[in-house]
Amino acid sequence: MGSRGNETGTTTDCTSNGSSDGESNGDSGGYSRARMTTLSDSVSYEADGNMMVVTVGRADEVLKENHMCTDWTIVFPEKVEYLNTESIENGTLIRVSLICYETNPYAYVDNADVLVSSGALSASLKTLQGIVIDVNQTTDPISITGRGGGKPSGTTLMITSDYESYQILDVHTFHTVQWNSSVVVEMTPTVISTKLDDAQTELWAFVGFQRLPGPHEEDHDFRFKIDKSHKSSLFISSWDLFNRTGLFYVGVGVRSLVSDEDTVEYPIPSSEWRGGGGRRWRWRRYLNYDYRMRAITKGCFFFVMNAERWYSSGLRTGVYVGDKTIQCLTYHMTYYAGGIYTPEVPTDFKYHYVEQTFPKSCLVLLAILLIVCHQGVVCWMANRHSKQDQSKGQLHVMADNHPLDTYKYTIVIDTGFKMFATTDSEV
């Protein structure tokens, strides 16, 4: 099997009998059309879209490789000590065991519908005897990349209309259902609108979680400048969206580099000020760009057997790697799956700017005067009654306590613990 006789021979012994390795769950007969591919130090079985890959070798050599199983790729930290386990050293012979499922075997649980859209990956490290090595709380993350499943939808065409008198942004919404997931917001101006390009304007988008966004720095959570000729996108990591699941607002507006009667001025955020030109943002009261918009959410999850639920604690999504692929960063090894969804972005979002006002009425004033007069009368009567109370401050004899009663008292004097101790007190 190659020049690495001991390691490759171990691989063959561990995987060829279909049961001693334990990766196929003892069901070798279930692989109706199994195929074995032998590499220098790895063996893989594939059947019905599912695949098992076992790689054997020295820890310091095996962990440097990229391990692939169908559409999944797992990359370990570059050094063995980053695994943070005493069971593995550089020269330790280990097995990297991967099982890939085309159909997620845990898609039946309650929270799978809103979180998971991919197949599943079972990843573990084992000794040569098949004992699982506990890998938990690594100091560097383990990268897992795979197809997230799902069917990403197309973009939504936003045709701008006249603004209201108080409006400077074209606002739209989308709703997320995955917790602790990353979000990508894509903006693409249409070909027709690019003909209206003005060198004195910039196109910006503001994103707010559960609130209407605005140019004020405290009125939005994220912002990005839109390229008026090409697709622009904003990637928001799962770390920045921790415990932020629900309704997002996106506002698109035109920033003017010159001042005119159709602009509104706002303080420019400190991170956007480059010196000169004043510290003001000028925003037009209209939007002369039609554009397409899409939102994509990606989440990484692991399965807990005892609870029969998917969780995301300790996982986070990596960088954006396309519409159908997801990268997960984890610090332990178990069953993994991903979810990719494209929430609907409605074309129309209507809202009314309401100023809080109170109707003017004399009834309110009369009610306040009545309450004040009533409280004044109550205070006067209480004070008058207090002055007329003759018994205030006197002693009252209770029925069971007559002044002529005789009381006897017993006094106990402690002279210590010495036997026959006496006292010369004259009590």
Side-chain angles (χ1 to χ4, degrees):
M1 291 181 66
S3 59
R4 309 178 63 168
N6 292 335
E7 293 179 17
T8 55
T10 304
T11 303
T12 305
D13 294 340
C14 292
T15 59
S16 61
N17 57 14
S19 59
S20 60
D21 179 53
E23 305 297 340
S24 61
N25 298 325
D27 189 15
S28 59
Y31 290 91
S32 57
R33 51 185 182 86
R35 176 176 60 85
M36 184 179 74
T37 303
T38 304
L39 304 176
S40 59
D41 55 357
S42 67
V43 172
S44 64
Y45 288 91
E46 182 178 3
D48 299 329
N50 302 325
M51 191 174 186
M52 178 185 69
V53 179
V54 180
T55 304
V56 180
R58 287 170 51 97
D60 56 352
E61 297 179 358
V62 171
L63 297 182
K64 291 181 180 179
E65 302 177 6
N66 294 344
H67 300 270
M68 292 177 289
C69 182
T70 61
D71 296 327
W72 298 88
T73 301
I74 182 170
V75 180
F76 291 94
E78 61 180 4
K79 294 184 178 181
V80 175
E81 52 265 30
Y82 293 163
L83 293 179
N84 196 22
T85 175
E86 298 179 353
S87 303
I88 303 177
E89 297 180 351
N90 288 331
T92 305
L93 292 178
I94 61 172
R95 284 195 274 173
V96 178
S97 301
L98 306 178
I99 301 179
C100 310
Y101 300 92
E102 183 178 23
T103 302
N104 197 321
Y106 304 109
Y108 64 89
V109 299
D110 295 338
N111 61 351
D113 291 340
V114 296
L115 299 179
V116 176
S117 61
S118 71
L121 169 67
S122 173
S124 61
L125 296 182
K126 297 183 179 181
T127 65
L128 292 183
Q129 293 74 29
I131 301 175
V132 176
I133 301 174
D134 184 25
V135 178
N136 193 16
Q137 297 181 350
T138 62
T139 55
D140 270 16
I142 302 171
S143 173
I144 300 176
T145 306
R147 295 183 66 85
K151 296 180 180 179
S153 62
T155 57
T156 303
L157 177 61
M158 306 299 181
I159 300 177
T160 58
S161 58
D162 295 336
Y163 279 179
E164 300 290 343
S165 58
Y166 51 80
Q167 190 176 357
I168 61 171
L169 298 178
D170 185 35
V171 180
H172 298 277
T173 63
F174 63 90
H175 191 277
T176 62
V177 296
Q178 291 177 301
W179 54 72
N180 301 338
S181 62
S182 64
V183 172
V184 174
V185 180
E186 295 181 351
M187 295 285 187
T188 308
T190 62
V191 177
I192 297 177
S193 66
T194 56
K195 296 180 181 179
L196 303 176
D197 187 15
D198 185 354
Q200 299 298 321
T201 62
E202 296 177 348
L203 197 60
W204 282 79
F206 301 92
V207 181
F209 174 67
Q210 294 186 351
R211 59 174 175 165
L212 288 173
H216 275 297
E217 195 161 15
E218 63 272 13
D219 288 341
H220 60 268
D221 299 305
F222 312 95
R223 64 177 179 268
F224 68 104
K225 183 179 178 181
I226 302 174
D227 191 323
K228 291 183 286 187
S229 302
H230 303 88
K231 180 174 70 175
S232 303
S233 61
L234 169 67
F235 173 76
I236 308 174
S237 68
S238 58
W239 189 263
D240 295 324
L241 294 179
F242 184 75
N243 284 341
R244 289 184 175 183
T245 303
L247 189 62
F248 286 82
Y249 294 84
V250 181
V252 181
V254 177
R255 178 195 177 192
S256 176
L257 302 181
V258 295
S259 179
D260 55 55
E261 60 182 7
D262 288 331
T263 60
V264 179
E265 292 189 354
Y266 286 87
I268 187 172
S270 57
S271 58
E272 300 295 339
W273 188 64
R274 300 294 182 267
R279 290 178 174 268
R280 312 293 293 178
W281 277 24
R282 303 177 181 91
W283 296 92
R284 288 188 174 178
R285 298 180 182 271
Y286 60 88
L287 180 62
N288 57 349
Y289 296 92
D290 296 336
Y291 57 93
R292 292 186 174 275
M293 178 179 171
R294 181 175 67 164
I296 304 174
T297 67
K298 296 183 178 183
C300 299
F301 307 93
F302 67 93
F303 189 73
V304 178
M305 296 292 183
N306 296 334
E308 290 195 345
R309 292 182 66 86
W310 292 96
Y311 290 88
S312 62
S313 303
L315 295 182
R316 56 189 176 94
T317 57
V319 297
Y320 182 70
V321 287
D323 295 354
K324 300 180 180 180
T325 306
I326 185 171
Q327 182 189 41
C328 302
L329 301 178
T330 178
Y331 296 87
H332 66 287
M333 301 188 69
T334 181
Y335 283 89
Y336 299 99
I340 298 179
Y341 295 92
T342 51
E344 179 185 4
V345 183
T347 56
D348 297 322
F349 173 75
K350 298 294 184 181
Y351 68 96
H352 298 280
Y353 184 78
V354 179
E355 294 185 0
Q356 188 176 12
T357 58
F358 298 95
K360 297 180 180 180
S361 175
C362 61
L363 296 178
V364 177
L365 180 60
L366 291 176
I368 294 175
L369 292 177
L370 180 61
I371 293 174
V372 171
C373 293
H374 177 267
Q375 294 297 323
V377 172
V378 170
C379 292
W380 176 79
M381 294 181 64
N383 185 54
R384 182 171 178 271
H385 183 271
S386 177
K387 291 181 178 180
Q388 294 177 351
D389 187 3
Q390 300 295 332
S391 64
K392 184 172 63 175
Q394 296 181 1
L395 296 177
H396 295 272
V397 179
M398 306 298 293
D400 59 345
N401 187 17
H402 195 274
L404 300 179
D405 288 344
T406 301
Y407 296 91
K408 296 181 179 181
Y409 298 91
T410 300
I411 300 176
V412 179
I413 300 175
D414 186 6
T415 60
F417 297 100
K418 185 176 181 181
M419 185 177 296
F420 306 116
T422 59
T423 177
D424 57 357
S425 62
E426 299 178 356
V427 178

